[in-house]
Amino acid sequence: MLKALLSMQQTLLDWFDRHRRVMPWRALKGQRPDPYHVWLSEVMLQQTTVVTVGPYFQKFIKKWPRLSDLAAASLDDVLVAWAGLGYYARARNLHKCAKMVIEKHGGVFPDTEEGLQELPGIGPYTAGAIAAIAFDRPAIAVDGNVERVVSRLFKIETPLPASKTEIRARTADISRDNPRPGDFVQALMELGSTVCTPAKPKCGVCPWQKECRAFKAGMAEILPRRSPKEARPQRYGTVFWLEDAKGRVFLRKRPEKGLLGGMTEVPSTEWQEKQTKMPAIIRQAPVAKIQWQPFAGKVRHVFSHFSLELTILRGRQRGTGKPIQGGFWVQGKDMEEQALPSVMRKVVRLVLGGRA
Ligand code: SF4
């Protein structure tokens, strides 16, 4: 039994040695991974794809080559660099975590899952991934790719998310006693993203075809099953696009706590389940005594737990923008340098017609 397991692990590791993709954060074969790079990439990859993360990772490493550089940066600069990656609590925790590792751990990441989980923004999955990839600890990290591979390998027919516990236990089983934990974790993820793909898995070139129960049963493409998702609730809001005579736009910072906390926004009403009537909307405008005109077109954005539809009202202030409490004026060409989350970037793109 153990012999069969070791041989299965070796088959995957051999396959990984031949097919591992070069990624900006991944150590080349035979090189030691940099824990700073592993941590940064793992935090960025939470809820985001490899393709999206690539340029962000490069930007961060160029701007802050060492962990100490990131810890010394201002939170605003980090949020600006993160803008567009979504789930902004991750950026705030990233910054907090960098500071904590510098101040409390002498700039060295803890090398165990337990130690890592005490840091901000590092949950069980990320701790497992960092412990294994950066420090070669015998840990597991079950992401969506691994869930798919393991569900198929063991023909787990219980739908996700109910099958998560079984998938985790099976992943631990096939990972135990393996000689290269860091490479094994990455090999499993790589197999899921390049061979055992959601549609049309390439079973013909899979190193585990012989062991795969779903393949034998002709069920590869229909696994893993998923319980039907509940429909996302819909919310509505209105943003106030206010310009001055120089064409500068009024922006403000969102409160530190809550959704998109600390990010910059085009001032907005609260986002509610029902559409609000006009007088109540205008009461939430940054300035009331001007003509607010509806702007053609709406912005739609999907958050993890609700969908949002934003209406835009446009207003113009006479003269150059007077200071308004809680905000600041920005030229359209400088929008890129603001910590605007994706939903607000959509607003800017719609109003400025792609010039921002
Ligand atoms: Fe996935 Fe096919 Fe390999 Fe099974 S044989 S693990 S279904 S790619």
Side-chain angles (χ1 to χ4, degrees):
M1 188 71 180
L2 182 61
K3 212 168 147 202
L5 174 66
L6 292 178
S7 134
M8 205 177 139
Q9 290 170 346
Q10 197 54 50
T11 309
L12 183 66
L13 287 167
D14 289 345
W15 171 85
F16 185 58
D17 288 341
R18 289 194 303 276
H19 297 283
R20 64 192 285 155
R21 289 174 297 175
V22 173
M23 293 188 187
W25 49 83
R26 183 178 273 172
L28 296 173
K29 197 175 165 213
Q31 285 184 356
R32 284 178 74 84
D34 179 335
Y36 171 45
H37 291 186
V38 174
W39 162 75
L40 182 59
S41 63
E42 285 301 331
V43 174
M44 286 182 167
L45 285 163
Q46 293 165 2
Q47 325 272 355
T48 314
T49 63
V50 166
V51 177
T52 309
V53 165
Y56 280 90
F57 178 84
Q58 306 270 28
K59 177 165 62 174
F60 267 67
I61 292 298
K62 197 162 168 222
K63 217 167 157 64
W64 300 297
R66 293 160 307 171
L67 180 71
S68 52
D69 302 321
L70 181 59
S74 74
L75 175 60
D76 272 355
D77 283 349
V78 174
L79 289 172
V80 168
W82 190 276
L85 255 187
Y87 298 90
Y88 297 93
R90 290 184 298 164
R92 287 195 299 280
N93 279 330
L94 185 88
H95 188 239
K96 242 193 252 171
C97 182
K99 280 171 149 346
M100 196 182 272
V101 173
I102 294 295
E103 287 161 14
K104 293 206 175 149
H105 298 273
V108 180
F109 276 95
D111 62 359
T112 62
E113 283 180 271
E114 299 73 33
L116 286 160
Q117 278 192 65
E118 284 170 19
L119 296 170
I122 302 189
Y125 166 79
T126 308
I130 300 172
I133 299 170
F135 303 111
D136 226 12
R137 294 271 178 188
I140 61 166
V142 184
D143 68 355
N145 286 317
V146 177
E147 274 178 354
R148 189 165 56 255
V149 171
V150 173
S151 298
R152 290 172 176 172
L153 188 63
F154 293 97
K155 196 162 79 66
I156 297 171
E157 294 185 52
T158 311
L160 280 163
S163 56
K164 277 183 183 280
T165 313
E166 184 179 354
I167 291 173
R168 215 183 141 72
R170 294 288 200 173
T171 308
D173 281 348
I174 55 170
S175 306
R176 99 189 125 89
D177 296 327
N178 95 73
R180 292 162 53 193
D183 282 348
F184 193 76
V185 160
Q186 294 178 85
L188 263 180
M189 293 174 179
E190 193 94 326
L191 185 70
S193 70
T194 61
V195 174
C196 195
T197 44
K200 297 198 174 53
K202 304 173 187 75
C203 303
V205 295
C206 177
W208 279 352
Q209 191 206 75
K210 205 157 49 81
E211 292 84 1
C212 180
R213 296 182 192 170
F215 173 73
K216 271 184 210 139
M219 293 174 72
E221 277 208 66
I222 59 166
L223 295 180
R225 296 201 164 105
R226 284 170 203 283
S227 300
K229 278 192 186 154
E230 282 179 26
R232 276 196 185 87
Q234 180 69 48
R235 291 193 195 167
Y236 302 90
T238 300
V239 290
F240 301 95
W241 184 273
L242 179 62
E243 284 181 27
D244 70 3
K246 283 189 175 169
R248 297 184 307 170
V249 182
F250 181 70
L251 300 178
R252 71 181 177 196
K253 218 170 156 199
R254 290 178 65 85
E256 288 296 330
K257 291 244 152 75
L259 186 68
L260 309 179
M263 301 296 290
T264 300
E265 68 171 2
V266 181
S268 167
T269 59
E270 284 185 30
W271 300 341
Q272 294 182 320
E273 275 155 32
K274 283 195 181 142
Q275 279 166 320
T276 315
K277 298 239 162 58
M278 200 45 100
I281 290 175
I282 298 297
R283 277 199 291 278
Q284 298 180 60
V287 280
K289 289 180 188 150
I290 59 168
Q291 278 265 305
W292 288 103
Q293 303 284 353
F295 183 85
K298 290 183 192 292
V299 164
R300 293 185 178 81
H301 192 77
V302 178
F303 290 94
S304 57
H305 53 295
F306 67 93
S307 300
L308 178 67
E309 183 182 289
L310 286 177
T311 303
I312 301 170
L313 289 180
R314 201 170 183 177
R316 188 174 286 273
Q317 262 209 342
R318 289 219 184 98
T320 46
K322 294 184 202 114
I324 301 174
Q325 207 190 351
F328 50 96
W329 295 89
V330 170
Q331 286 289 358
K333 67 176 175 49
D334 296 329
M335 286 290 178
E336 269 304 314
E337 287 141 42
Q338 309 306 314
L340 290 162
S342 302
V343 59
M344 291 299 159
R345 284 179 188 262
K346 286 184 185 175
V347 173
V348 171
R349 272 199 297 274
L350 181 64
V351 178
L352 296 183
R355 281 183 285 121

